[in-house]
Structures are given as C-alpha cells and as structure tokens.
C-alpha cells in the first residue's frame, strides 16, 4: 500500500517564477492538505482540498493556489516566487473531513528560491 | 486561538537515557485532538500518536509513553532507553474536532541521541 507521494523531491527556482508541486494521497484517502515548513519551524497550514474544492485556507496570499483532480491527487501552485517561499512543502492526506481522521504526510518537496 | 508551544528547541542525550519532550497547548475548544509526529532527516512526518481531549488516559507503546494533563494543557512525550535511531525532530500538534484537518504545529524539538 503506497503512502503519500510527492514530486519533485527538490526544486530550484528564481524570484518571480512560478512553480507547481504534486501530491498523490494514500490509497483510500480523498482529502489533501498542504503545509509549508520553513527551516527550523513547524509546518504551517496552507489549504485543504476535498471533493475537488478548497475547503479551508490558512494565512497565505493568493499567490498560493491549488487544485484537486478526480483521482484525489493534488497540485500546489505558487506564482511570483519570493525568496521567503523557500521551504519544505508537505502534503498530507486523510479520509473525509469529519475531524477524527489522522493525516499521513508525504516526504515533501524542498523548494529553494534564488 | 489555537497555539502549541514546544519550549525545548534541542535536547541531547546519551543512548539508553530517558528523555521527555514537553508540549503545552492553548485552545478555547472543548473538543480537540493532540498529536505527536516524528520528522527524521528525510523530511517525512511520521505519525506517532493521537489523543482525544476527553480521554486523559496515559498511553504506553513500547519505549514511548505520553502524559496528557488537561489541567495544565500539556501533552508530554517520554522515550525510555533512547536509541540513536530516535534522533529526529519531534512535533506536537493540535487540531480542533471540526476544523477539517487543519493542524497547528509547535516549532518542534530536535532530539540528538549520541552513542
């Protein structure tokens, strides 16, 4: 049973560019959440997707957008990259949004913005 | 407001020592969940435990144990007879029951276990 997978593992971009990160949830999971983890910090919630819609959003600007596909996989897009966007981006999946489920995290994508 | 505080930034112990990682949380909600995750250098967050706010029983799983005290808003994690493989960053997290899986993480405690 494959866990949560993310691609790419590492990415280097320059300021002003756009980036797309991808996530495939754990088998049987239909909810995907994205987190940004800056160096030395805990993960910060970006947003969550369920039934192909953004259900909840953290304190992140509109430069951060996402999408969920019918197969439950998800993309995180970041436009007009800033140096401060350099971080580990984690995807987490769970089943449903009832609140009792445990999230399982992927290995993350390390983004470096130069 | 929801907040999780892990005051210990980094802890170093020698193998076989016991170590306790502290977690203090703030919430106005009466129903919530608390979690501990382990993050090895590879980056993936590994789920360790989930506790419900209405269940204050302490839990033991092998060398791991958790002490949940609502009166002091703490959810501490103890590793008994630590091993080098326990070296990682450990995160405590809080989630409201109906908050669609939105987690509030602490800043993490880096545990170094030396041989």
């Amino acid at each position: 049973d494959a866990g949560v997978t993310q691609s790419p593992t590492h990415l280097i971009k320059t300021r002003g560019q756009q980036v797309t990160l991808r996530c495939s949830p754990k088998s049987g999971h239909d909810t995907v959440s994205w987190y940004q983890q800056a160096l030395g910090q805990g993960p910060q919630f970006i947003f969550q997707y369920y039934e192909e819609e953004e259900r909840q959003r953290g304190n992140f600007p509109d430069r951060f957008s996402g999408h969920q596909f019918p197969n439950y996989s998800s993309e995180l897009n970041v436009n007009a990259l800033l140096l401060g966007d350099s971080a580990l981006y984690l995807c987490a999946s769970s089943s449903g949004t009832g609140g009792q489920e445990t999230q399982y995290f992927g290995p993350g994508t390390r983004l470096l913005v130069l | 407001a929801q907040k999780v505080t892990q005051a210990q930034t980094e802890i170093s112990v020698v193998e076989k020592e016991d170590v306790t990682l502290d977690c203090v949380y703030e919430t106005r909600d009466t129903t919530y969940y608390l979690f501990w995750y382990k993050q090895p250098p590879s980056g993936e967050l590994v789920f360790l435990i989930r506790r419900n706010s209405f269940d204050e029983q302490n839990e033991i799983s092998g060398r791991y144990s958790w002490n949940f005290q609502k009166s002091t808003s703490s959810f501490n994690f103890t590793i008994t007879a630590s091993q080098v493989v326990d070296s990682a960053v450990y995160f405590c997290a809080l989630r409201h029951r109906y908050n669609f899986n939105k987690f509030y993480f602490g800043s993490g405690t880096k545990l170094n276990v030396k041989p």
Side-chain angles (χ1 to χ4, degrees), chain A residues 16-60:
Chain A
Q17 286 188 313
Q18 177 264 345
V19 68
T20 297
L21 311 181
R22 296 175 177 81
C23 170
S24 291
K26 183 178 171 66
S27 178
H29 286 182
D30 55 9
T31 302
V32 173
S33 300
W34 287 92
Y35 292 82
Q36 179 194 65
Q37 185 179 12
L39 193 63
Q41 301 294 320
Q44 298 290 317
F45 175 76
I46 301 175
F47 44 53
Q48 182 186 73
Y49 277 85
Y50 173 67
E51 293 186 336
E52 301 180 48
E53 290 186 4
E54 183 181 297
R55 293 291 175 155
Q56 195 165 27
R57 190 179 185 91
N59 189 26
F60 279 81

Side-chain angles (χ1 to χ4, degrees), chain B residues 10-78:
Chain B
E10 187 166 354
I11 300 175
S12 292
V13 299
V14 177
E15 207 170 17
K16 297 185 182 177
E17 285 185 0
D18 298 347
V19 58
T20 295
L21 309 182
D22 297 333
C23 173
V24 174
Y25 63 92
E26 296 176 26
T27 180
R28 295 178 183 174
D29 302 322
T30 56
T31 303
Y32 50 90
Y33 295 87
L34 295 165
F35 297 77
W36 276 95
Y37 282 86
K38 174 182 180 180
Q39 188 175 44
S42 61
E44 182 173 350
L45 283 166
V46 178
F47 167 75
L48 296 178
I49 189 172
R50 182 188 78 187
R51 299 301 288 171
N52 306 326
S53 57
F54 45 85
D55 181 3
E56 290 192 68
Q57 276 193 340
N58 291 325
E59 184 162 336
I60 297 175
S61 176
R63 297 184 297 107
Y64 296 168
S65 62
W66 291 269
N67 182 2
F68 176 29
Q69 293 195 349
K70 242 176 158 177
S71 59
T72 56
S73 297
S74 65
F75 185 43
N76 296 337
F77 172 32
T78 297

